[in-house]
Amino acid sequence: IYIDPVKAAETPFGGTIAHGFLSLSMLSHFAADGCGVWMEGAVMGLNYGFDKVRFLNPVRVGSKIRGRASLISAEEKSPNKFLFNQEYTVEIEGVDKPALIAQWLSMVVVA
């Protein structure tokens, strides 16, 4: 369903789709492009994990996607280290239901 158009055409998707983890990996791109929350004075951000990931809708090959983020919580874990919990939504152009929703945890270190 990811690289074989003939087999993919026989699935309920009717064609090839992007792997869900490929869509999930795009969160790093969206974050680097300014999606999500960042702190003034931050010197680095570290992946801390995910609280929740749900793949809701396949991304058909050739579709355009975009990221949207909202802050769920921010907590100072130790001096100069903050844990952010952000909900990221990957939207598919022209489709009502998002591709995925994920709660991404990141640790931000400030100077």
Side-chain angles (χ1 to χ4, degrees):
I1 62 174
Y2 305 117
I3 59 173
D4 186 336
V6 174
K7 283 190 176 187
E10 299 170 1
T11 70
F13 307 123
T16 52
I17 60 171
H19 197 290
F21 283 110
L22 175 60
S23 299
L24 184 65
S25 75
M26 291 300 295
L27 297 187
S28 294
H29 167 74
F30 296 138
D33 204 30
C35 184
V37 176
W38 193 247
M39 289 185 71
E40 188 174 320
V43 293
M44 77 171 126
L46 304 166
N47 285 319
Y48 201 77
F50 288 89
D51 270 353
K52 182 178 181 181
V53 176
R54 296 292 181 266
F55 299 101
L56 305 173
N57 203 12
V59 177
R60 297 184 187 283
V61 169
S63 297
K64 292 183 180 182
I65 60 171
R66 69 177 179 194
R68 185 172 43 89
S70 60
L71 181 64
I72 295 172
S73 65
E75 178 184 356
E76 187 172 17
K77 297 302 274 184
S78 62
N80 300 327
K81 292 183 182 176
F82 295 84
L83 180 63
F84 287 170
N85 182 347
Q86 297 179 81
E87 181 174 274
Y88 275 77
T89 303
V90 175
E91 300 172 339
I92 308 165
E93 186 176 68
V95 179
D96 292 335
K97 191 175 183 182
L100 69 90
I101 295 176
Q103 288 183 11
W104 187 9
L105 305 174
S106 56
M107 184 70 69
V108 176
V109 180
V110 295

